[in-house]
Amino acid sequence: MVMTHFSRLRQLLLLQPKFLSSQPRPLRSPPPTFLRSLMGSSSSFSSSSSKLLFRQLFENESSTFTYLLADVSHPDKPALLIDPVDKTVDRDLKLIDELGLKLIYAMNTHVHADHVTGTGLLKTKLPGVKSVISKASGSKADLFLEPGDKVSIGDIYLEVRATPGHTAGCVTYVTGEGADQPQPRMAFTGDAVLIRGCGRTDFQGGSSDQLYESVHSQIFSLPKDTLIYPAHDYKGFEVSTVGEEMQHNPRLTKDKETFKTIMSNLNLSYPKMIDVAVPANMVCGLQDVPSQAN
């Protein structure tokens, strides 16, 4: 029988829902790597990383990143902060309280020249917190680290790698190796490696020769999927990888002599905060830290 135009249209309309339901729905694009890492547990990390809570925080004036890590699988939810800033201590403490964490360590990658560290304030506001920095920095702290040391929070640990060059006391903190540690690994590089750049080497015992050797031996030797989290960014980036920087970093991809020439011709202005920040940071960010907070 010949189907009328109306009946044919009616049949198509009746079939349409069934047809649509049988097709796979388009999936939303996954969030970028830096956002996945901020969420703490996702396909970008191994299942063992479900115990890691990770937050990347930002201070606008000095363009400084502060990093919060915690082991939320542990009953106490122990946590640490890397490179806290004095101006954002209250923000950090509020977040730590909201997440039900116990702050154990306030750590610095080096003695900063562009902001005052928040470690001293954290110690006064939250007694029991330990300030941490490299022994080579010559700064005041509760705990002094040397290459190869490990800093643990629950079952998660950070390995200490000496990466001098920006300053004489710079270190990079790297999440542990092994199936029970967050994967891919994470490297908190301070100013040694920035995203598509690196820290200057013209003050605080800096050395372009030393920085080049530090980066290539201690950071670029890590697995290429290792996530790089720097102390600063000025271009809107949040995270990179070892592989990316080995391929695309406009300074550190060069040979050593070319790198040294680049660094000696940056002609950067004198850091505006250096005369305030460095003296304060040499004593944990405060001139006088109450004894009960030590």
Side-chain angles (χ1 to χ4, degrees), residues 241-252:
T241 67
V242 166
E244 278 186 38
E245 295 308 310
M246 290 177 68
Q247 184 175 359
H248 299 297
N249 193 296
R251 298 177 185 175
L252 294 163

Side-chain angles (χ1 to χ4, degrees), residues 54-60 62-69 80-89 91-92 103 105-120 122 130-134 137 145 158 163 166-167 169-173 187-194 229-233 281 284:
F54 174 57
R55 295 291 185 271
Q56 182 184 47
L57 308 168
F58 192 68
E59 193 278 314
N60 287 303
S62 61
S63 298
T64 299
F65 287 121
T66 295
Y67 299 100
L68 172 65
L69 290 81
L80 61 82
L81 283 170
I82 298 174
D83 289 335
V85 180
D86 63 340
K87 294 182 179 179
T88 49
V89 160
R91 174 204 66 186
D92 299 346
L103 186 64
Y105 302 117
M107 307 168 63
N108 281 295
T109 54
H110 62 289
V111 174
H112 298 274
D114 49 14
H115 68 270
V116 175
T117 179
T119 52
L122 286 165
K130 300 295 184 183
S131 57
V132 182
I133 201 167
S134 74
S137 71
L145 300 174
L158 298 178
T163 50
H166 170 61
T167 74
C170 288
V171 294
T172 291
Y173 300 118
F188 301 92
T189 56
D191 286 29
V193 176
L194 305 179
Y229 290 101
H232 305 281
D233 186 82
N281 291 338
C284 199

Side-chain angles (χ1 to χ4, degrees), residues 10-291:
R10 181 173 180 273
Q11 186 180 49
L12 287 173
L13 289 172
L14 289 172
L15 288 172
Q16 191 176 29
K18 182 178 180 181
F19 173 77
L20 290 176
S21 65
S22 66
Q23 304 304 304
R25 291 180 180 270
L27 297 176
R28 295 179 61 189
S29 298
T33 301
F34 78 86
L35 183 56
R36 295 201 304 268
S37 66
L38 292 182
M39 292 190 289
S41 175
S42 73
S43 59
S44 67
F45 288 100
S46 68
S47 59
S48 66
S49 301
S50 60
K51 63 187 176 186
L52 171 66
L53 182 145
F54 174 57
R55 295 291 185 271
Q56 182 184 47
L57 308 168
F58 192 68
E59 193 278 314
N60 287 303
E61 188 172 332
S62 61
S63 298
T64 299
F65 287 121
T66 295
Y67 299 100
L68 172 65
L69 290 81
D71 181 354
V72 292
S73 70
H74 190 279
D76 294 334
K77 295 185 178 180
L80 61 82
L81 283 170
I82 298 174
D83 289 335
V85 180
D86 63 340
K87 294 182 179 179
T88 49
V89 160
D90 289 339
R91 174 204 66 186
D92 299 346
L93 288 177
K94 183 174 185 293
L95 178 61
I96 288 167
D97 181 65
E98 290 174 346
L99 296 175
L101 308 178
K102 180 180 180 180
L103 186 64
I104 307 296
Y105 302 117
M107 307 168 63
N108 281 295
T109 54
H110 62 289
V111 174
H112 298 274
D114 49 14
H115 68 270
V116 175
T117 179
T119 52
L121 278 175
L122 286 165
K123 284 163 57 66
T124 62
K125 291 174 177 284
L126 202 61
V129 172
K130 300 295 184 183
S131 57
V132 182
I133 201 167
S134 74
K135 183 178 181 180
S137 71
S139 175
K140 178 180 178 179
D142 296 310
L143 300 174
F144 297 105
L145 300 174
E146 297 192 69
D149 285 349
K150 294 180 180 179
V151 180
S152 298
I153 46 168
D155 294 325
I156 296 170
Y157 72 89
L158 298 178
E159 169 195 327
V160 180
R161 295 192 172 207
T163 50
H166 170 61
T167 74
C170 288
V171 294
T172 291
Y173 300 118
V174 185
T175 53
E177 187 176 14
D180 63 336
Q181 297 298 307
Q183 299 296 328
R185 299 178 76 181
M186 307 160 76
F188 301 92
T189 56
D191 286 29
V193 176
L194 305 179
I195 299 172
R196 307 302 191 263
C198 64
R200 62 194 294 176
T201 57
D202 57 335
F203 60 85
Q204 289 181 270
S207 163
S208 57
D209 186 280
Q210 196 173 37
L211 178 59
Y212 190 90
E213 289 296 330
S214 293
V215 170
H216 282 263
S217 66
Q218 299 299 316
I219 298 175
F220 284 0
S221 59
L222 290 164
K224 290 184 179 180
D225 65 348
T226 301
L227 299 169
I228 287 183
Y229 290 101
H232 305 281
D233 186 82
Y234 311 99
K235 300 177 181 178
F237 295 112
E238 284 91 0
V239 64
S240 184
T241 67
V242 166
E244 278 186 38
E245 295 308 310
M246 290 177 68
Q247 184 175 359
H248 299 297
N249 193 296
R251 298 177 185 175
L252 294 163
T253 51
K254 304 294 192 293
D255 63 81
K256 186 194 288 189
E257 292 308 312
T258 302
F259 174 76
K260 289 165 65 175
T261 299
I262 291 171
M263 298 304 291
S264 64
N265 288 282
L266 292 178
N267 298 316
L268 298 173
S269 59
Y270 189 74
K272 64 180 181 179
M273 280 288 293
I274 189 170
D275 293 328
V276 173
V278 171
N281 291 338
M282 290 297 290
V283 288
C284 199
L286 290 177
Q287 296 298 327
D288 294 298
V289 180
S291 58

